[in-house]
Amino acid sequence: MTDADAVKNAVYDVVVIGAGPVGENVADRTRAAGLTTAVVESELVGGECSYWACIPSKALLRPVVARADARRVPGLGAAVQGPLDTAAVLAHRDWYVSDWHDDGQVAWLEGVGADLYRGQGRLAGTKQVSVTTPDGTEHRLTARHAVAVCTGSGAVVPDLPGIADARPWTSREATSAKEVPGRLVIVGGGVVGVEMATVYQALGAQVTMLIRGKGLLPKMEPFAGELVAEALTEAGADIRTGVSVTSVDRTTPDGPVTVELDDGERIEADEILFATGRAPRTDDLGLETVALKPGSWLPVDDSCRVEGSNWLYAVGDVNHRALLTHQGKYQARIAGAAIAARAQGTPEATGRWGAHTATADHAAVPQVVFTDPEAASVGLTLAAAERAGHRVRAVDYDLAAVSGAGLYASGYRGRARMVVDLDREILLGVTFVGPGIGEMLHSATVAVAGEVPIDRLWHAVPAFPTISEVWLRLLETYRG
């Protein structure tokens, strides 16, 4: 063995596998606490969110939603009736993802004092991580205190006849495409499905959505999916529920794809996007070296420490608690603080809403779906609250009846709901659906996470005339 072939060893307080937003935040918190930290990344620093998910999808959606809003404003609608400039929309997306270069993210990571190892990282036993770099160099990293797995999740493509030759899109291809297909079939009605349907229908594609269940956005209040489906249908999309894909066929590499449904119907399209779920990126992580199952989700406690371990943490999508970038970053702040406290022997705040407890994962997860109309929610839906055994009441209000909504857009359509815990008189969940409501969600998040009593919310006066005045109307409806 030559010197070049020798394994290079290094010791750190903390080793983080995965340099997406979650891994970056773990590193930031452990470095802030004075712990030496190594970060391992096999792709781009910044991860899925920065290059193939949140950032590019919202860059694509912003022009679509802005045009839709403008068309509802008297005196402006006629000026924005033409098609979107597709080339400009795609160029805007490319700029936001830095043309899929990670120099800026690398500079940030170096700025916090973390060491970056590019390559495939795998567990190699207790507190051990091996890294194989693109040139074949192997590093063996030892963690004094903790290893944090922040490898995220990847799109699931079902094992259907013809799937390999069909070259289906996943969310990655949908958010990074260089051209707009003439006809796009989208399988799945969750967040990725509805957001990409919104984008591509607006950019000129004929979109067909195939939904196995009863409707869109099944994890939100039912009216959210109903209002989004209504708008997509009016925009020209064909939404079919209660159907399943049984096979796909692309006879020639550059030709169309044919989709066969369980009722025997065949649909031809230029591309097919599967938005049918996520799986943890743990299949090639060396989990077997620490008595865990490769390819599995990693159950954790509320500090994101893997169950049964005192050194291994799983943060973000990989623990299957809340598959959202902002929630993973929240977990990273909690986990980073917990790792530091345990390394330094300082007291831990493990009570509900404590500094080392990811309570929001259970009680106050916020999400915005950037469709037209937008859908936003935090906390529990009515059905989830009832399943959990709470004694609750749902209070609904038509957003169109709020003065601010009518001023925002002619013909405004939307709805708001708050789910009230009748025993404690606090909010367990809030949902808004309508144009321009995404920025309202944080007020609801504060109310739910803060467990603000209804009596105190009565004194939080919304400015007139804003859409936020719906808060007053919801409280008036509740009080009667």
Side-chain angles (χ1 to χ4, degrees):
M1 177 180 292
T2 67
D3 289 342
D5 295 325
V7 175
K8 298 181 179 182
N9 299 301
V11 179
Y12 293 88
D13 292 322
V14 180
V15 178
V16 179
I17 306 177
V22 175
E24 289 177 324
N25 274 266
V26 172
D28 182 49
R29 291 297 83 211
T30 56
R31 285 297 302 127
L35 302 180
T36 59
T37 303
V39 180
V40 183
E41 178 53 55
S42 61
E43 291 188 290
L44 297 177
V45 175
E48 193 83 7
C49 172
S50 299
Y51 305 102
W52 299 286
C54 314
I55 296 300
S57 65
K58 291 356 168 234
L60 292 168
L61 282 156
R62 180 58 192 149
V64 174
V65 174
R67 181 182 66 166
D69 280 348
R71 284 177 168 177
R72 302 185 187 104
V73 178
L76 183 58
V80 288
Q81 288 304 313
L84 288 165
D85 183 339
T86 298
V89 172
L90 297 181
H92 174 66
R93 181 270 320 270
D94 293 350
W95 183 84
Y96 256 96
V97 299
S98 303
D99 289 309
W100 290 274
H101 293 101
D102 64 0
D103 297 7
Q105 301 265 17
V106 170
W108 179 88
L109 197 60
E110 292 173 345
V112 302
D115 289 346
L116 173 64
Y117 289 80
R118 288 192 182 272
Q120 180 62 51
R122 298 178 181 87
L123 295 169
T126 301
K127 297 184 181 180
Q128 301 291 313
V129 175
S130 67
V131 184
T132 304
T133 67
D135 67 4
T137 302
E138 184 179 348
H139 298 266
R140 178 63 65 93
L141 309 180
T142 299
R144 294 188 186 92
H145 300 292
V147 174
V149 174
C150 307
T151 49
S153 65
V156 173
V157 176
D159 185 15
L160 294 170
I163 197 72
D165 295 329
R167 295 178 291 107
W169 281 7
T170 66
S171 52
R172 281 199 169 197
E173 290 76 21
T175 57
S176 62
K178 298 298 184 182
E179 297 180 351
V180 176
R183 300 163 297 175
L184 175 63
V185 166
I186 299 176
V187 184
V191 177
V192 172
V194 297
E195 288 191 344
M196 291 301 97
T198 300
V199 167
Y200 282 100
Q201 186 67 43
L203 291 178
Q206 174 55 56
V207 172
T208 301
M209 298 190 74
L210 305 176
I211 317 298
R212 178 181 295 177
K214 297 179 180 179
L216 305 181
L217 300 175
K219 294 183 179 181
M220 301 184 83
E221 297 285 8
F223 63 81
E226 291 165 4
L227 286 166
V228 171
E230 183 179 299
L232 280 170
T233 301
E234 290 177 357
D238 180 7
I239 301 176
R240 307 187 188 189
T241 59
V243 298
S244 296
V245 176
T246 57
S247 68
V248 291
D249 178 60
R250 195 189 294 266
T251 305
T252 59
D254 297 324
V257 59
T258 300
V259 185
E260 184 166 346
L261 306 182
D262 54 357
D263 62 3
E265 183 179 358
R266 295 167 69 86
I267 301 172
E268 187 176 270
D270 298 293
E271 299 292 350
I272 181 169
L273 163 62
F274 280 93
T276 49
R278 311 283 295 180
R281 288 188 176 136
T282 60
D283 55 324
D284 189 22
L285 191 60
L287 291 182
E288 67 280 0
T289 70
V290 293
L292 294 171
K293 182 180 178 181
S296 65
W297 302 102
L298 299 177
V300 297
D301 63 19
D302 278 343
S303 70
C304 295
R305 185 167 52 184
V306 173
E307 293 178 356
S309 172
N310 64 1
W311 60 273
L312 183 62
Y313 293 73
V315 193
D317 281 14
V318 74
N319 62 35
H320 207 224
R321 287 165 69 102
L323 277 66
L324 295 159
T325 295
H326 50 269
Q327 210 65 22
K329 291 165 69 174
Y330 161 73
Q331 292 176 12
R333 296 190 292 271
I334 298 294
I339 290 169
R342 289 161 184 163
Q344 296 164 351
T346 57
E348 298 176 41
T350 57
R352 182 175 168 83
W353 303 112
H356 307 126
T357 305
T359 307
D361 286 353
H362 308 296
V365 175
Q367 180 172 26
V368 178
V369 185
F370 293 84
T371 44
D372 174 39
E374 292 175 339
S377 66
V378 62
L380 302 180
T381 62
L382 173 61
E386 290 175 338
R387 286 195 301 270
H390 296 288
R391 193 171 68 91
V392 294
R393 174 186 166 193
V395 181
D396 292 353
Y397 199 81
D398 180 3
L399 269 168
V402 177
S403 296
L407 290 166
Y408 187 91
S410 295
Y412 193 103
R413 284 180 288 181
R415 187 171 171 185
R417 168 175 288 180
M418 65 181 191
V419 179
V420 181
D421 182 326
L422 294 175
D423 294 320
R424 293 191 291 163
E425 288 243 308
I426 62 170
L427 304 186
L428 296 178
V430 179
T431 299
F432 301 124
V433 183
I437 53 79
E439 294 297 338
M440 286 175 53
L441 183 63
H442 195 59
S443 60
T445 303
V446 171
V448 173
E451 299 180 342
V452 182
I454 293 286
D455 283 348
R456 178 57 63 86
L457 284 175
W458 186 250
H459 295 280
V461 182
F464 178 85
T466 64
I467 303 174
S468 293
E469 197 179 13
V470 72
W471 278 107
L472 174 59
R473 303 304 172 216
L474 286 167
L475 294 169
E476 287 175 335
T477 303
Y478 176 69
R479 285 191 161 195

